[in-house]
């Protein structure tokens, strides 16, 4: 049975995916090529997050590694978004990926993914 910590991280990744896609769609009307490119990246990484969250259903180390890499990418994306839009809300979006990395690096999660 999947540990609670993995289920929690999986739920956070699904939440991050929803937020990415919604932010990407709503911001797609922004002027400028850089902003439109970031919006497309948000949508793409949102869809990727859904796929990676489903990969956490199996106790395979590659799913855990993919989730940690995706979380790192989402952190970098949020920093770039903040630099472009100057909106503190984007920096608050860094919290979810940090918690995912923290929880997937717990001993309980690592033991399940071996």
């Amino acid at each position: 049975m999947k540990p609670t910590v993995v289920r929690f991280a999986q739920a956070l990744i699904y939440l991050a995916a929803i937020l990415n896609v919604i932010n990407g769609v709503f911001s797609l009307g922004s002027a400028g090529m850089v902003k439109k490119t970031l919006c497309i990246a948000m949508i793409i990484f949102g869809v990727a997050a859904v796929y990676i969250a489903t990969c956490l259903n199996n106790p395979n180390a590659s799913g855990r590694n993919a989730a940690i890499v995706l979380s790192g990418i989402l952190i970098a994306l949020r920093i770039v978004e903040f630099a472009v839009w100057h909106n503190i809300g984007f920096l608050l979006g860094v919290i979810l990926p940090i918690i995912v990395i923290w929880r997937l690096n717990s001993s309980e999660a690592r033991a399940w993914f071996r």
Side-chain angles (χ1 to χ4, degrees):
M1 182 165 184
K2 185 170 32 172
T4 305
V5 68
V6 175
R7 274 193 244 146
F8 179 67
Q10 191 175 25
L12 290 179
I13 293 172
Y14 280 125
L15 181 60
I18 292 168
L19 292 175
N20 263 337
V21 171
I22 289 172
N23 282 337
V25 169
F26 282 129
S27 300
L28 203 54
S30 299
M33 193 60 160
V34 173
K35 289 182 180 180
K36 288 188 187 298
T37 304
L38 279 174
C39 292
I40 293 169
M42 282 191 270
I43 294 168
I44 290 170
F45 284 116
V47 172
V50 170
Y51 173 74
I52 289 173
T54 58
C55 289
L56 293 180
N57 287 325
N58 301 321
N60 191 348
S62 65
R64 177 183 167 270
N65 293 338
I68 291 172
V69 168
L70 175 73
S71 295
I73 291 170
L74 291 178
I75 290 169
L77 187 61
R78 291 290 178 246
I79 293 169
V80 171
E81 290 168 7
F82 175 73
V84 171
W85 274 285
H86 306 292
N87 184 344
I88 195 70
F90 287 116
L91 282 184
L92 293 175
V94 169
I95 295 170
L96 288 177
I98 289 174
I99 294 173
V100 168
I101 292 170
W102 171 54
R103 297 316 303 155
L104 288 179
N105 279 320
S106 70
S107 58
E108 183 182 2
R110 278 190 268 150
W112 192 70
F113 283 112
R114 290 182 194 248

